[in-house]
Amino acid sequence: MEAPRAGPGALAPWKEMSAEELEKQYSPSRWVIRVEPEEALRTFWEKGTQATNNAQATRRCQLHVPYGDGHGDRMDIYFPGVESEALPFFLFFHGGYWQSGSKDQSAFMVDPLTAQGVAVAVVDYDVAPKGSLDRMVDQATRSVAFVQKRYPHNEGIYLCGHSAGAHLASMVLLASWTEHGVAPNLRGFFLVSGIYDLEPIVPTSNNALLLLTLEDAVRNSPWRRLDAAPAQPSGPACPVLVMVGEHESPEFHRQSWEFCQSLCRGGWKVTFKKLPDVDHFSIIENLAKKDYVVTQIIMKTISQKC
């Protein structure tokens, strides 16, 4: 572990915050120091769109692949140059506070990963207000089941999510696969700048489109669900990397660390990393670089076939 252990039984800091401070804590762009908040948001989506257009123009791909019957049940799959039925698959869930963003703006990591023999699936889901959070969680789970069924000889499925996408990826940790008729070959999770306890979101403006009740928030909070779930079985566990950028709010740091601690208590093989000199947006933008520390960690994890 790379952070000090929090004291047990401490009152969640957000419960003592004013409405204004809580709003700031859960507004990631307000913690960016390199540019103004509006520019950080605008350039993030611009860079994502550019990376996606480049990936579609230069990589072998299948676009708008349906993983279910719903209109939003779509993913783009990008393949390495060498064809094989036994590839590692990297699934990415985009951020956007469950109410913006899409696969068409999120293919940052395609070039460096496909160049190393990894297939990349960038997953869409129905953002609010069209989709409820329960539906988004179901879509994330079904997308993983789909990849396993479509590519049964895969060399491992690795999940990555950013911000709201990290929440969706973390909910997959708790999925019951019996109802999906498949046991996916999950080999690793990369959770980037996520929110794992949704209760603090309920009183903020971020809930205006989500319309989460307290019950909804608790039901869809992996941190709460994990503490109530049975421990991970003994033996080799699927590795989980929980990451947060240096220039993110104290609440994002707290959420990442406390979720990491819950994973530890559940027996998961988990690592916590605070990445220096990055914020909520640059932490994922940099996945376009093959020499970026997170890109290197992802490739090392996949090559080890844990």
Side-chain angles (χ1 to χ4, degrees):
M1 290 301 161
E2 301 179 8
R5 185 173 297 275
L11 179 66
W14 71 268
K15 292 186 177 181
E16 300 181 330
M17 292 178 186
S18 67
E20 181 181 2
E21 178 60 23
L22 187 62
E23 191 75 25
K24 180 180 178 182
Q25 289 287 327
Y26 284 93
S27 300
S29 63
R30 296 174 67 177
W31 298 84
V32 176
I33 63 172
R34 56 192 168 90
V35 294
E36 293 298 315
E38 295 79 8
E39 185 178 351
L41 287 166
R42 177 178 54 80
T43 58
F44 177 74
W45 296 121
E46 287 178 351
K47 288 180 179 180
T49 300
Q50 182 179 4
T52 302
N53 291 340
N54 178 68
Q56 293 179 2
T58 61
R59 298 300 182 187
R60 186 167 58 93
C61 56
Q62 296 176 6
L63 304 180
H64 317 303
V65 177
Y67 62 83
D69 297 330
H71 178 75
D73 297 349
R74 298 291 185 270
M75 65 173 66
D76 294 339
I77 308 177
Y78 302 86
F79 298 93
V82 178
E83 294 191 25
S84 172
E85 293 186 1
L87 292 170
F89 278 81
F90 182 91
L91 271 64
F92 182 73
F93 302 101
H94 67 81
Y97 254 129
W98 307 276
Q99 51 202 287
S100 64
S102 76
K103 63 180 177 58
D104 301 325
Q105 302 165 296
S106 304
F108 294 100
M109 72 300 297
V110 166
D111 278 2
L113 295 192
T114 55
Q116 295 298 316
V118 179
V120 177
V122 185
V123 181
D124 248 355
Y125 51 91
D126 288 313
V127 297
K130 181 178 180 179
S132 68
L133 197 56
D134 290 297
R135 173 165 176 76
M136 296 178 220
V137 170
D138 178 63
Q139 287 177 298
T141 306
R142 287 191 290 106
S143 71
V144 175
F146 169 82
V147 169
Q148 180 62 45
K149 292 176 181 177
R150 186 180 177 103
Y151 303 100
H153 303 297
N154 69 77
E155 291 190 345
I157 295 176
Y158 300 82
L159 268 58
C160 179
H162 172 233
S163 196
H167 162 266
L168 296 177
S170 64
M171 288 294 284
V172 176
L173 284 167
L174 306 169
S176 173
W177 297 106
T178 303
E179 60 189 80
H180 296 279
V182 67
N185 186 22
L186 294 172
R187 297 291 185 88
F189 287 75
F190 307 96
L191 307 178
V192 186
S193 302
I195 297 176
Y196 310 103
D197 177 14
L198 273 56
E199 186 180 352
I201 298 298
V202 174
T204 72
S205 64
N206 296 305
N207 196 30
L209 293 180
L210 289 170
L211 301 176
L212 293 176
T213 65
L214 179 58
E215 182 182 0
D216 296 331
V218 171
R219 182 175 63 253
N220 286 292
S221 291
W223 174 68
R224 293 169 179 262
R225 297 259 310 264
L226 190 64
D227 271 354
Q232 180 76 356
S234 58
C238 184
V240 181
L241 176 58
V242 180
M243 291 169 277
V244 66
E246 177 184 2
H247 303 301
E248 302 206 51
S249 75
E251 273 295 281
F252 270 81
H253 281 257
R254 181 188 66 82
Q255 287 241 5
S256 292
W257 175 247
E258 290 192 357
F259 185 59
C260 186
Q261 291 296 94
S262 291
L263 287 166
C264 285
R265 290 191 293 270
W268 291 87
K269 181 182 177 184
V270 59
T271 303
F272 175 84
K273 281 192 175 293
K274 182 176 77 172
L275 298 177
D277 302 322
V278 292
D279 53 54
H280 191 81
F281 305 98
S282 58
I283 194 173
I284 207 73
E285 291 171 359
N286 288 341
L287 280 178
K289 304 173 183 178
K290 66 180 181 180
D291 58 349
Y292 179 43
V293 60
V294 179
T295 309
Q296 294 296 308
I297 290 171
I298 289 169
M299 287 310 310
K300 181 178 180 181
T301 302
I302 294 175
S303 66
Q304 290 175 341
K305 296 181 174 62
C306 295

